[in-house]
Amino acid sequence: MKTTLANFDKAFENRVRLQIMSILVANDSYDFNSLKELLEVTDGNLASHLKALEKEAYINVYKSFLGRKPNTSYAASEQGRTAFLKHLESLENLIKLQKA
């Protein structure tokens, strides 16, 4: 059982961070407002979860302007993508063990 949990990543224990990474791994990038709408969270809630993922170097942050409006978008880093896929693999292994 210990080896099954070896690749669990505390960064993905929270459902919002798990959802953010799912979106970013499945897409090239996503902007702040689109993430907020899709996840149905507040600005502050989303910002704190994004900051936690950024601190782990699991996401890259891109700031730009659309016309005169600032736009921030996010993408999964290579390190984040690898950690997330290992986390998913651990979850799948845990589920398989429960079926045995």
Side-chain angles (χ1 to χ4, degrees), residues 1-9 90 93-94 97:
M1 180 75 121
K2 199 160 190 113
T3 54
T4 304
L5 302 177
N7 288 322
F8 272 9
D9 193 321
S90 292
N93 289 337
L94 182 61
L97 281 176

Side-chain angles (χ1 to χ4, degrees), residues 6-47:
N7 288 322
F8 272 9
D9 193 321
K10 284 197 169 288
F12 307 129
E13 282 182 354
N14 181 280
R15 80 161 180 89
V16 175
R17 288 193 294 271
L18 187 67
Q19 289 175 302
I20 291 168
M21 284 306 292
S22 296
I23 293 165
L24 297 181
V25 167
N27 296 279
D28 289 336
S29 67
Y30 234 78
D31 68 77
F32 185 89
N33 287 328
S34 297
L35 280 171
K36 185 176 81 166
E37 278 182 36
L38 187 61
L39 300 175
E40 298 178 344
V41 293
T42 63
D43 285 10
N45 193 330
L46 180 58

